[in-house]
Amino acid sequence: CVAYVPDLGKDLIREFYYDREAGAISFEFNFMPSGLSTGMPDGPRYFEFHPTYDIAYVVNELSSTIAVFSVNRALLKEISDAANEGRSMEQFKGRSTLTLIQSISTIPSAFPTSMNTCGRICVHQSGKFVIVSNRGHESISIFRVNNNGSENGKLYAVGYFHTRGETPRHFQFDSSGRYIIVANQDSNSIAIFSFDLKSGEIKYTGNEYRVPSPNFVCNCPVRDVFYEKQAAPEVRSILVPVDKDEWIEQEDTETPTHVNNGVSQKDLEAELIEARREIKELKEKLQALSVQHEATAA
């Protein structure tokens, strides 16, 4: 029922009532600084929640810090109940659901803050780590999430790791959470690192790709269409031309010898088999690299 907006221009975190029924933001009941209010701008850029703790993280682009907030679940419930009962949101004016509990730098103390701006922040799917990219320091900063009672959600640094490029604007984990893909915008490259799920450290895999000015990375699930086809029943429905602009369905018990683009079905299946073999080999190599890295770390 609350939408949190990092307002970099105003240097504030804004809290709005979000009407789920209407799908609209209808009332701003609070705003607050995104850092320690030192007199220098923080520049809140992204807002992330921890998956299990009542904790939120904001990366401050200009001050190169992460602001850690506790989230007041009781107040959120109060706001939600008031909305469900049709009561005015004015009673919550000036009340915040967030409390700043920590501010931690994303770069080493010896590196000038004026030479760095933060890019992306994310919470690892395990909930154990928070990761930030630094543009200027050219690094990925990794922080471990404290899970010790009253200190839950607070961060302490694991380390700073060079991205093997310039201006790491964005990064993304693969679906396993064991590899991190970094987009180095100004060096026109994407670099792949392995991620140690125990220590939180990353290690360059040796894989780098030339991409013009990469800005964002998105991982998409891949379906093995050939496998699904092999597992499907023998009888299928296919479209058969009846007239120039008319098609009908009929049962097909034999594999067609050609497809519409003129490529032989047999050749296509052979190419798919070869592609699956290459993917399998790549997976085995990646697994071997991961095992070798864990053995070395141990």
Side-chain angles (χ1 to χ4, degrees), residues 54-291:
D54 293 336
I55 295 290
Y57 303 98
V58 175
V59 62
N60 290 313
E61 177 178 353
L62 304 181
S63 62
S64 297
T65 59
I66 301 173
V68 184
F69 294 93
S70 64
V71 180
N72 188 335
R73 290 287 181 184
L75 182 55
L76 285 173
K77 186 178 186 306
E78 191 179 338
I79 294 170
S80 179
D81 290 344
N84 292 335
E85 295 167 6
R87 291 187 277 129
S88 171
M89 291 292 107
E90 286 290 340
Q91 63 183 302
F92 301 107
K93 190 73 174 178
R95 298 176 65 184
S96 178
T97 61
L98 302 175
T99 301
L100 182 67
I101 60 173
Q102 185 187 21
S103 178
I104 186 170
S105 179
T106 68
I107 53 177
S109 58
F111 194 85
T113 303
S114 60
M115 295 178 63
N116 186 73
T117 58
C118 292
R120 186 185 183 225
I121 185 173
C122 86
V123 182
H124 188 265
Q125 61 199 54
S126 67
K128 296 179 179 180
F129 302 97
V130 171
I131 301 94
V132 171
S133 61
N134 292 301
R135 301 173 294 182
H137 191 247
E138 319 301 13
S139 66
I140 293 290
S141 297
I142 300 175
F143 301 86
R144 183 178 289 276
V145 177
N146 199 314
N147 61 355
N148 184 20
S150 62
E151 297 293 302
N152 274 359
K154 289 186 178 181
L155 306 176
Y156 59 91
V158 171
Y160 313 96
F161 303 87
H162 194 271
T163 62
R164 303 186 69 88
E166 298 176 8
T167 318
R169 181 182 179 90
H170 199 262
F171 60 88
Q172 188 68 267
F173 282 94
D174 75 324
S175 58
S176 72
R178 298 174 68 93
Y179 294 93
I180 185 170
I181 306 160
V182 181
N184 292 306
Q185 183 179 12
D186 289 344
S187 56
N188 303 310
S189 64
I190 289 177
I192 315 298
F193 299 82
S194 60
F195 183 82
D196 190 309
L197 297 175
K198 293 181 179 179
S199 68
E201 296 182 345
I202 64 174
K203 184 178 180 181
Y204 181 53
T205 63
N207 296 302
E208 184 177 332
Y209 304 91
R210 310 305 298 175
V211 178
S213 189
N215 275 245
F216 294 92
V217 179
C218 178
N219 291 324
C220 302
V222 177
R223 292 175 55 198
D224 193 334
V225 179
F226 179 70
Y227 175 80
E228 292 175 3
K229 176 185 172 184
Q230 293 297 97
E234 288 294 322
V235 179
R236 298 165 298 151
S237 292
I238 62 171
L239 292 174
V240 179
V242 175
D243 200 357
K244 181 178 180 181
D245 298 315
E246 189 177 356
W247 295 75
I248 63 170
E249 286 190 355
Q250 75 172 32
E251 286 190 347
D252 172 42
T253 56
E254 297 183 0
T255 303
T257 56
H258 292 82
V259 291
N260 289 338
N261 62 6
V263 179
S264 165
Q265 185 74 13
K266 184 177 180 181
D267 290 342
L268 181 59
E269 291 181 356
E271 290 180 9
L272 287 170
I273 291 172
E274 177 63 18
R276 291 183 67 202
R277 184 190 64 77
E278 292 178 358
I279 291 171
K280 182 180 179 182
E281 288 181 356
L282 285 172
K283 287 181 178 179
E284 290 174 349
K285 289 179 180 179
L286 287 172
Q287 183 64 28
L289 282 171
S290 177
V291 171

